[in-house]
Amino acid sequence: MSKNIVVAIDGYSSCGKSTLAKALAKKLHYIYVDSGAMYRAVALYFLRNNIDTKNSEQIEEALKNIHLNFHSRDYETHITLNDEEVSEEIRQMPVSEKVSEVSALKAVRREMVKQQQRMGKSKSIVMDGRDIGTAVFPNADLKIFMTADPAVRAKRRYDEIHPKNPDVTLAEIYENIAHRDYQDTTRAESPLVRAHDAIILDNTDLTPEQQLKFALDRVEGLNR
């Protein structure tokens, strides 16, 4: 393809959006941008610095001091918060419990969208999140909206977290996912909603290889 391509992958939490986006970007030699990791890193900063999410002055001041970057190592994408590697810490439960609240803030979304749009101007990218195809890149070349059965999503998340956090329970994960679904779909600022031109991908019963083929077939269709 001669022009830069933007692939937007949206959907519910723990649907495997990042897994698909990473695999697709690697296969196509595109840049992978994990928007969810950006919001998690902001949530981590807010937690560490006791930022009051109802205090607009604190929020604006915090955002001036948050500098995020992505880098690749061992074929994996890592995120730094003010030059500190935080890829592992942002996946822990305290951040998971805070991220929907933080990402619902207008000032936070405005700043992250600006950073995300800059990333998509000069290169072909795959970006996953909640509002990529609706707010960040409404003219994306391909939009995929991912969903899966909540019980399956909870089990996947549990399998990911439990080895690093043995005290976490499946019930806690399920409750967290249900809470995040509610917050993501009902927030006033850029709620999670399927773009009218997004292709639905329900991966409840799909393997990572099957969902990658699904996406690759759609990207290849852009050339036809």
Side-chain angles (χ1 to χ4, degrees):
M1 300 178 198
S2 55
K3 74 176 190 112
N4 292 328
I5 297 294
V6 173
V7 179
I9 301 177
D10 291 305
Y12 294 93
S13 64
S14 302
C15 271
K17 297 185 300 295
S18 296
T19 298
L20 175 59
K22 288 176 187 176
L24 188 61
K26 185 176 179 181
K27 190 77 173 176
L28 297 170
H29 302 290
Y30 289 4
I31 299 299
Y32 166 60
V33 179
D34 182 352
S35 73
M38 296 172 72
Y39 287 104
R40 282 175 171 272
V42 174
L44 176 60
Y45 183 92
F46 276 34
L47 283 168
R48 286 178 172 180
N49 293 276
N50 299 310
I51 304 300
D52 182 355
T53 55
K54 293 180 174 61
N55 186 317
S56 58
E57 289 185 6
Q58 280 192 25
I59 292 167
E60 293 288 354
E61 190 61 30
L63 290 173
K64 293 177 186 175
N65 296 309
I66 294 175
H67 305 286
L68 306 177
N69 279 300
F70 287 97
H71 64 277
S72 294
R73 186 175 71 246
D74 300 327
Y75 303 104
E76 290 288 333
T77 301
H78 300 263
I79 188 170
T80 58
L81 168 61
N82 297 335
D83 297 323
E84 177 193 353
E85 168 70 63
V86 293
S87 300
E88 292 289 338
E89 191 172 356
I90 62 171
R91 302 295 171 186
Q92 300 304 312
M93 281 302 292
V95 174
S96 293
E97 291 169 351
K98 187 75 172 176
V99 65
S100 288
E101 177 189 348
V102 171
S103 63
L105 298 171
K106 187 172 184 177
V108 172
R109 299 205 73 81
R110 184 175 63 239
E111 178 59 29
M112 292 302 102
V113 166
K114 268 196 264 180
Q115 293 194 30
Q116 291 157 9
Q117 288 174 335
R118 278 199 299 269
M119 295 176 191
K121 281 183 178 177
S122 59
K123 296 177 181 177
S124 290
I125 64 169
V126 180
M127 187 181 296
D128 69 290
R130 302 291 194 280
D131 62 350
I132 309 305
T134 53
V136 184
F137 291 111
N139 298 315
D141 301 275
L142 174 65
K143 301 176 187 178
I144 295 174
F145 188 87
M146 292 181 66
T147 185
D149 181 272
V152 172
R153 291 157 52 203
K155 182 60 167 63
R156 289 172 180 167
R157 186 82 176 122
Y158 175 80
D159 290 343
E160 177 187 359
I161 290 179
H162 187 257
K164 301 166 189 170
N165 184 3
D167 294 329
V168 73
T169 67
L170 183 57
E172 282 180 301
I173 299 292
Y174 188 93
E175 184 179 345
N176 174 250
I177 284 176
H179 180 62
R180 291 182 64 191
D181 284 352
Y182 176 78
Q183 287 190 308
D184 290 343
T185 56
T186 60
R187 69 188 179 212
E189 189 68 23
S190 297
L192 171 63
V193 61
R194 176 198 166 205
H196 74 279
D197 52 349
I199 300 167
I200 294 177
L201 169 55
D202 185 333
N203 71 356
T204 300
D205 299 312
L206 297 182
T207 65
E209 294 74 23
Q210 288 171 326
Q211 69 176 15
L212 176 58
K213 184 180 186 305
F214 178 98
L216 283 171
D217 287 346
R218 272 69 188 175
V219 175
E220 288 172 3
L222 299 174
N223 266 337
R224 294 172 194 155

